[in-house]
Amino acid sequence: MKKTTLLRKLLERPGSIVVPGVYDALSARICEMAGFEAVFHSGYGTAAVLLGQPDVGLLTLTEMAAQVKAVSRAVRIPVFADSDTGFGNALNAYRTVQEYISAGASGLFMEDQVAPKRCGHMEGKQVIPKDEMLGKLRAAIDARNEMDPDFIIMYRTDAIHATGFEDALDRAKAAVAAGVDMIFIEALETREQMERAVREVNVPLMLNLIEGGKTPLVPVSEAEAMGFKLVVPALSALFSAARGMYDVMSRIRAEGVSDAYRDRLFTFSEFTEVVRLDEIREMEEKYLPRSVLEEKYRGKKNIVESE
């Protein structure tokens, strides 16, 4: 089954789906190992890992599509991707959808911020006129229909903190009328706003949860009871990886290499499962001459022996 078809089937299933934000191939693979059924490629995380800089519209379509491709190839589950503003006007939005489908994404969201955009939980956001955004969404839908009708198009509006909650709702309803599959109202501030959004917008909605962000961190059960389809811990993987790396490397800097922090790490042999090293060995057995394998391994079955 195509990943785009699989994502549609997941979205048709009753209840909420927790889809973690990931920032590269490794974080996507780890979330897949943890049992998640889909992952969400994060533009914020991509800016952090590629540039070491904040999410303020510095990334290009080429950079983002390349990261989407790396993430999509690393996992066997669907990838929902962040396409920022579509990287320009409606014509750019059309190409963005083409590039993301070619990169292996199963869906994307596109937002209505003025470029250069910024993280939805930062101050200083502006939004483009509604009619301009609707044109971009129509172009995105047309591009999708020509390449893969199962690909999901989600509209993200950042209007709450630029023009108000009522405008955000109005934009969301207009996008639904234009034919988008899902809605993402960014940076909802209260449970009342969450409940009203689900009640008044007649397509599945996404709830974005960021530790320290503008949206209350409601439990998944509560988000599901409200009616949200996707619940996205957008930056939990990024923040936990950065914190863990900082803590361990600070300790190494202070104390040197030792076994004192091994409980915080994968072991060398455990990490081979993360990167599917066993599959490399299986491919060698399938394709390499027997004489080469005997010379390389001298009877050993694994590339890394278990501890």
Side-chain angles (χ1 to χ4, degrees):
M1 184 184 298
K2 294 186 304 180
K3 288 183 183 179
T4 51
T5 307
L6 177 57
L7 180 58
R8 281 202 174 264
K9 289 187 175 296
L10 286 175
L11 294 173
E12 291 168 1
R13 198 173 66 190
S16 295
I17 307 167
V18 179
V19 180
V22 300
Y23 49 88
D24 63 4
L26 181 61
S27 59
R29 172 67 183 130
I30 289 171
C31 287
E32 181 183 38
M33 288 179 65
F36 291 101
E37 297 173 280
V39 292
F40 210 104
H41 154 260
S42 162
Y44 185 110
T46 300
V49 299
L50 290 187
L51 306 178
Q53 295 197 55
D55 182 16
V56 291
L58 299 175
L59 292 164
T60 66
L61 168 59
T62 302
E63 291 170 318
M64 286 281 274
Q67 196 77 335
V68 170
K69 183 176 182 179
V71 168
S72 299
R73 284 189 171 185
V75 295
R76 293 161 184 160
I77 56 178
V79 175
F80 218 119
D82 181 348
S83 74
D84 288 345
T85 64
F87 305 99
N89 66 15
L91 303 183
N92 301 98
Y94 188 98
R95 184 187 171 211
T96 295
V97 172
Q98 291 179 319
E99 294 296 331
Y100 274 43
I101 291 174
S102 296
S106 297
L108 61 71
F109 72 75
M110 192 173 296
E111 66 201 55
D112 57 7
Q113 282 195 53
V114 171
K117 58 86 62 178
R118 57 185 53 203
C119 169
H121 292 251
M122 294 178 181
E123 301 299 328
K125 297 186 297 179
Q126 298 170 290
V127 293
I128 63 176
K130 180 175 70 174
D131 288 348
E132 182 180 351
M133 188 64 210
L134 290 175
K136 292 170 74 169
L137 293 174
R138 289 194 299 269
I141 291 167
D142 285 347
R144 180 272 306 277
N145 290 343
E146 291 172 12
M147 290 189 69
D148 185 351
D150 280 345
F151 188 83
I152 300 291
I153 301 291
M154 181 193 294
Y155 166 51
R156 163 179 154 177
T157 178
D158 286 79
I160 288 180
H161 296 279
T163 52
F165 180 67
E166 295 299 332
D167 185 46
L169 276 182
D170 180 66
R171 287 167 177 256
K173 293 173 184 177
V176 172
V180 301
D181 300 294
M182 298 187 69
I183 293 292
F184 168 16
I185 300 177
E186 175 64 297
L188 292 158
E189 292 186 301
T190 65
R191 284 168 171 78
E192 290 73 24
Q193 287 182 351
M194 296 178 197
E195 292 168 353
R196 189 174 168 197
V198 173
R199 187 169 62 247
E200 296 191 22
V201 178
N202 296 318
V203 295
L205 271 73
M206 170 181 148
L207 181 63
N208 189 37
L209 299 176
I210 294 176
E211 295 84 355
K214 292 180 178 295
T215 302
L217 296 180
V218 300
V220 172
S221 58
E222 187 174 339
E224 183 174 55
M226 290 181 191
F228 285 96
K229 173 53 65 176
L230 289 187
V231 180
V232 177
L235 300 177
S236 302
L238 176 67
F239 290 169
S240 61
R243 177 83 258 178
M245 191 183 308
Y246 180 81
D247 287 348
V248 169
M249 298 314 297
S250 295
R251 189 163 183 179
I252 289 175
R253 179 70 180 87
E255 302 172 8
V257 178
S258 73
D259 287 331
Y261 46 81
R262 284 192 62 179
D263 61 330
R264 306 287 300 277
L265 311 178
F266 281 115
T267 65
F268 187 69
S269 61
E270 288 170 343
F271 196 75
T272 65
E273 182 181 354
V274 178
V275 294
R276 294 194 177 103
L277 186 62
D278 59 329
E279 294 182 10
I280 299 298
R281 188 69 176 88
E282 290 169 6
M283 291 177 69
E284 288 180 333
E285 288 285 344
K286 183 176 181 179
Y287 298 122
L288 298 187
R290 179 54 48 188
S291 59
V292 171
L293 291 173
E294 289 175 356
E295 183 178 355
K296 285 172 70 71
Y297 291 110
R298 295 180 173 84
K300 293 183 178 179
K301 297 297 184 182
N302 301 312
I303 297 176
V304 172
E305 294 298 316
S306 298
E307 294 177 356

